[in-house]
Amino acid sequence: MDGNGRWAKARGLPRSAGHRAGAEAARKAVRAAGEAGVECLTLYAFSSENWRRPAAEISDLTGLLRFYVQKELDSLHKEGIRLKILGDHKAFESDVARLVDDAVARTAGNDRMTVAIALNYGARGELVQATRRLAGEVARGTLEPDQIDEERIEAALDTHGLPPLDLLIRTSGEQRLSNFLLWQAAYAELLFVDTLWPDFDGEAMRAALSEYARRERRYGGL
Ligand code: FPP
């Protein structure tokens, strides 16, 4: 969800206003994706590298998260949306971590759509954790090294239980993956758009999905 800062700067507003507009855009993106029948939408809300930002900005982002989880939980739940978290959200203030845990628990039985929020997430860290988990099983003698295959690695990732990643959208003209879902993106379609995230509305989501529908996926075959 890139470009909040630039969106605010272009309007002479503080970065916090850009993040507020970005959170509104996230709400609209969830709605538009749900209406289009998207099974799972993952939002990269806070990377494990975002701790390098000034404390005031981290506090603004945490505040937005707190506000939106509280405000949106009922409607997400009513709409049959399951909330899932990628990354280690326990690093946030304890009240936020608890709110998130409660929201995940309350929506766990929903099956119309999954909204995954990446919080304090980094793909390399996720792979390190998965490797440790599997190495632990080998050390305990419950897993043979030869049994480690793609399926086992996938099961040890934060995304286990989610459908394969089909489309990865990056906004604001940046053309990098920035440590996002590196394993999962192996065969994803990548879409880089110039739109700044706060301007990424329902129409932009529908346009992205139409572009995806035009792509021909071969997975290395012909
Ligand atoms: C990147 O734009 C955006 C972020 C690091 C934060 C994204 C978070 C939200 C939209 C709000 C919280 C989310 C939820 C789901 C409630 P940037 O700040 O790097 O923008 P810039 O590149 O223009 O400076």
Side-chain angles (χ1 to χ4, degrees):
M1 299 190 281
D2 217 355
N4 296 344
R6 279 163 285 166
W7 183 92
K9 193 170 178 207
R11 287 161 178 75
L13 297 169
R15 292 179 59 83
S16 57
H19 291 315
R20 271 203 304 281
E24 262 313 294
R27 213 170 56 78
K28 290 182 194 157
V30 168
R31 179 135 306 125
E35 283 166 8
V38 169
E39 196 182 333
C40 174
L41 178 73
T42 300
L43 299 165
Y44 203 179
F46 196 92
S47 77
S48 42
E49 289 75 32
N50 283 152
W51 296 109
R52 294 183 195 140
R53 296 198 176 199
E57 182 160 343
I58 293 173
S59 163
D60 287 339
L61 287 167
T62 310
L64 274 175
L65 186 67
R66 185 186 284 116
F67 176 75
Y68 271 91
V69 172
Q70 282 171 322
K71 179 170 165 280
E72 291 299 319
L73 181 58
D74 280 345
S75 67
L76 287 178
H77 189 45
K78 265 190 219 128
E79 287 170 37
I81 294 174
R82 172 174 73 128
L83 193 70
K84 184 166 166 85
I85 302 299
L86 312 182
D88 180 15
H89 66 284
K90 305 271 191 257
F92 289 93
E93 288 161 49
S94 58
D95 72 303
V96 176
R98 220 172 16 250
L99 269 178
V100 168
D101 283 335
D102 290 349
V104 168
R106 190 165 156 215
T107 61
N110 294 342
D111 59 6
R112 198 176 71 80
M113 182 189 183
T114 300
V115 171
I117 306 183
L119 286 175
N120 186 26
Y121 171 86
R124 288 180 175 181
E126 178 191 33
L127 285 163
V128 168
Q129 287 300 333
T131 306
R132 282 191 191 144
R133 223 166 280 155
L134 294 171
E137 288 185 43
V138 171
R140 286 190 296 278
T142 53
L143 182 70
E144 290 295 323
D146 287 354
Q147 291 176 301
I148 298 175
D149 55 11
E150 293 186 10
E151 235 165 79
R152 295 247 186 203
I153 293 175
E154 267 169 11
L157 296 174
D158 294 2
T159 48
H160 66 94
L162 296 183
L165 178 63
D166 290 320
L167 172 65
L168 191 154
I169 306 169
R170 180 148 195 180
T171 54
S172 88
E174 307 288 359
Q175 300 195 357
R176 293 185 291 278
L177 294 184
S178 297
N179 206 12
F180 186 57
L181 299 177
L182 297 181
W183 169 282
Q184 298 85 344
Y187 277 101
E189 292 296 323
L190 308 182
L191 181 64
F192 299 104
V193 295
D194 288 334
T195 315
L196 301 176
W197 175 253
D199 293 326
F200 195 89
D201 54 11
E203 200 185 315
M205 177 62 84
R206 286 187 287 279
L209 295 173
S210 301
E211 165 64 28
Y212 169 75
R214 284 193 291 274
R215 302 268 180 103
E216 195 193 328
R217 303 181 78 191
R218 290 191 295 276
Y219 300 95
L222 290 179

